[in-house]
Amino acid sequence: MTERIFNFGAGPAVLPEPVLEEAQRDLMALPGVGMSVLEISHRSKAFDEIIQGCEADIRRLANISPDYQVLFLQGGASLQFSMVPMNLMPSGGKADYIVTGSWSKKAVKEAQKAGTVQISATTEADNFTRIPQQSELKLDPAAAYLHLTSNETIHGVEWKREPEAGPVPLVCDASSDIFSRPIDVSKYALIYAGAQKNLGPSGVTLVILRNDLLERVPKNLPAMLDYKVQAENKSLYNTPPVFGVYIMRLVMKWLLDQGGLEAVGRANSEKARLLYDALESSGGYYRPHAKPDSRSNMNVTFRLPSEDLEKKFVSEAKAAKLDGLKGHRSVGGIRASLYNAFPKAGVEALVSFLKEFARKNR
Ligand code: PMP
């Protein structure tokens, strides 16, 4: 087998090895089917078992009640930036958005094309280093919904608990921390996530939405963009992203085998703590971007004393088989993404690497 290295990339990101192995084993022929998942009809019994099994495991993992739909859509989380307002904001309506980084800004930009966006809070003046306090939120009880981004993949800030939205439906872009810890789905009206960080490959987007929201969907939306059409057709209005759903099915099984979201959450906190502790004990050589109470367990972002040292850090790390550490081009610095499938051994390897790097490059 070709050697694997530690992949700190932000997404598409590392997948669990047992998932890759099973997919590889079954790529020529699914057991009992004699054809690969890439070659069978999405309306076949074999695929039906895959998509139904995936949904059942998602429901079990996050304890999702029958009051919610579980949909497998396309167009990435980016299309949800548009679908959410198109489906949930009534004509002439308004929605509240909390802005905590680049991704929530993008969500706002798309929503503005569909209706009136009110900014409940923004931490842009603090360079997106923190999550706002509940007391900072300006909430409109007449808003169609309140939108937040549970984890900002680029800036590395993460909500530790959901904001209180009162009677206003809460909508969450959970693309980069979904199923990284226990989640109380009943607090949300809609949760969406592109799969390519914690759930599977790119090309499939998970949408969990409360049934009553379907009553709001306006008539005459293009069918593909209409949650009601997608729900009535159980994500099979057209050909779904079959390979993405198949891999997601394997990832869900793997998460259940790990002991579910409690166990995965504990492991993720432990991995992130190891890395933040190492940064904090570097005597100021490494400077975490996010304020302590807002730090992401998924994307650890930090700076070095200079951009030249950051470049050197990234290239020497790559040579040491620690890949994908360059921060997003919009903010620079270093970003280590530690999604569910990222092993603790990789964090330990990075910690020894960064200690040695600081010692040699003071
Ligand atoms: N939201 C967040 C928080 C993200 O991290 C990303 C992708 N990195 C997106 C939205 C956009 O996702 P996609 O590329 O699937 O459209």
Side-chain angles (χ1 to χ4, degrees), residues 75-78 81 103 149 151 153 173 175-176 194 196-197:
S78 299
F81 294 165
W103 289 111
T149 307
N151 183 69
T153 322
D173 174 2
S175 293
S176 50
Q196 64 272 21
K197 294 139 196 330

Side-chain angles (χ1 to χ4, degrees), residues 98 134 137 146 148 159 161-166 170 187-188:
I98 305 174
Q134 179 74 31
L137 306 181
L146 171 65
L148 76 148
W159 288 79
R161 70 189 68 79
E162 43 285 296
E164 294 295 335
L170 196 56
K187 293 208 166 130
Y188 297 89

Side-chain angles (χ1 to χ4, degrees), residues 92-288:
K94 51 194 175 170
D96 282 350
Y97 277 70
I98 305 174
V99 178
T100 46
S102 308
W103 289 111
S104 34
K105 268 180 95 165
K106 283 204 166 159
V108 165
K109 199 166 161 214
E110 292 309 303
Q112 281 168 336
K113 298 175 189 171
T116 303
V117 170
Q118 308 176 130
I119 304 299
S120 288
T122 170
T123 54
E124 188 157 19
D126 294 322
N127 198 16
F128 298 132
T129 50
R130 66 184 189 89
I131 296 296
Q133 304 285 326
Q134 179 74 31
S135 57
E136 293 174 71
L137 306 181
K138 263 200 278 142
L139 299 176
D140 178 354
Y145 57 85
L146 171 65
H147 181 282
L148 76 148
T149 307
S150 53
N151 183 69
E152 288 283 355
T153 322
I154 292 175
H155 291 87
V157 292
E158 185 176 30
W159 288 79
K160 299 302 162 190
R161 70 189 68 79
E162 43 285 296
E164 294 295 335
V168 174
L170 196 56
V171 172
C172 181
D173 174 2
S175 293
S176 50
D177 69 348
I178 191 159
F179 298 167
S180 66
R181 54 182 173 173
I183 180 168
D184 182 354
V185 171
S186 72
K187 293 208 166 130
Y188 297 89
L190 189 153
I191 300 167
Y192 63 91
Q196 64 272 21
K197 294 139 196 330
N198 267 331
L199 304 176
S202 64
V204 53
T205 307
L206 179 65
V207 174
I208 302 169
L209 104 148
R210 212 172 53 213
N211 291 328
D212 61 276
L213 296 183
L214 297 175
E215 287 156 27
R216 296 191 187 191
V217 176
K219 300 224 168 357
N220 302 325
L221 281 184
M224 284 298 290
L225 306 183
D226 183 323
Y227 287 136
K228 217 166 157 188
V229 171
Q230 296 288 3
E232 282 166 1
N233 289 279
K234 297 196 138 314
S235 312
L236 296 171
Y237 174 75
N238 76 329
T239 317
V242 289
F243 192 66
V245 173
Y246 163 75
I247 297 286
M248 200 191 283
R249 163 101 230 255
L250 301 184
V251 173
M252 294 307 114
K253 273 204 241 158
W254 178 82
L255 284 172
L256 288 165
D257 287 347
Q258 301 307 296
L261 299 186
E262 291 278 351
V264 167
R266 273 195 303 277
N268 285 331
S269 297
E270 169 70 11
K271 286 184 291 178
R273 195 182 52 75
L274 269 176
L275 182 50
Y276 283 117
D277 283 355
L279 300 176
E280 285 295 352
S281 60
S282 70
Y285 188 84
Y286 298 108
R287 286 169 292 120

